[in-house]
Amino acid sequence: INLFNISQFNEKVRGVVQDFLDRLPESLHGPLPAPISDDLFRDPGNWALRLRFRNLSLWNADALVARLEPADGESYLAYERLVQERRRMDKALVRVGKEPIGLWRPHVSLGYLASHRYAADVMSRLPEWEAVVREEAGGDIIEFTSYGLYCFLDMAQFLTRGA
């Protein structure tokens, strides 16, 4: 939920969601706006998702990202489980007017271009940069064992629920 998709919510829900967003970061530690249930984002636990570097990509001609992929069979199963959890959560939000989310593509955002006019230059350098990242990342693995509600206040302030 953000300023770019809040208009998708039905009018009744939009007001309470907007109030929730306006009161961030304090509101993150209280109840979610009705009719969004606190249980919606509850993590059932008992999973581990290990991700490794897959490749570099330029999304929408303005976001340089490192795409990630499951590092092993157990992680692939965890990934599939998390895809289903995202669908479950999204269905509840779609019922109150939000548009459905797209496919989950695990990634790390590395940077944003100031203008789309730089996209061609970035694309021409991607193979070189990818080779460097692949060498530096080697077999490094990022492991996740929980999920929860979080927010970005801006590109430098990241908060999680209950933290």
Side-chain angles (χ1 to χ4, degrees):
I1 301 170
N2 58 50
L3 297 176
F4 301 107
N5 66 18
I6 193 168
S7 63
Q8 297 171 6
F9 288 87
N10 67 47
E11 204 169 306
K12 177 183 173 190
V13 174
R14 190 178 317 132
V16 295
V17 171
Q18 182 65 59
D19 179 62
F20 182 83
L21 292 176
D22 289 345
R23 292 183 300 106
L24 285 170
E26 292 79 17
S27 60
L28 193 61
H29 304 293
L32 294 176
I36 301 171
S37 167
D38 283 319
D39 288 337
L40 181 61
F41 301 103
R42 197 165 319 276
D43 179 2
N46 197 29
W47 58 272
L49 176 61
R50 289 172 294 283
L51 299 170
R52 66 179 170 221
F53 176 71
R54 176 177 168 186
N55 67 312
L56 291 182
S57 187
L58 185 63
W59 288 353
N60 302 318
D62 67 1
L64 178 63
V65 301
R67 300 270 320 270
L68 305 173
E69 64 184 1
D72 52 51
E74 180 184 347
S75 291
Y76 183 79
L77 294 175
Y79 169 80
E80 289 297 320
R81 178 179 171 187
L82 291 172
V83 166
Q84 294 305 315
E85 282 293 292
R86 283 174 50 96
R87 284 187 186 134
R88 177 189 61 78
M89 292 175 212
D90 194 51
K91 283 181 184 178
L93 296 173
V94 166
R95 283 194 290 273
V96 293
K98 190 183 128 333
E99 291 179 16
I101 56 172
L103 178 66
W104 180 39
R105 299 182 295 173
H107 68 281
V108 174
S109 297
L110 301 175
Y112 297 92
L113 304 184
S115 170
H116 287 170
R117 70 176 184 254
Y118 301 121
D121 291 337
V122 169
M123 290 301 293
S124 71
R125 304 286 304 268
L126 273 185
E128 173 189 348
W129 294 346
E130 187 171 308
V132 170
V133 172
R134 189 170 307 286
E135 183 177 325
E136 291 297 320
D140 288 352
I141 302 291
I142 301 172
E143 183 175 52
F144 298 91
T145 57
S146 66
Y147 64 78
L149 191 60
Y150 66 89
C151 75
F152 287 95
L153 295 177
D154 56 39
M155 291 310 291
Q157 296 181 75
F158 174 83
L159 303 171
T160 58
R161 186 142 197 208

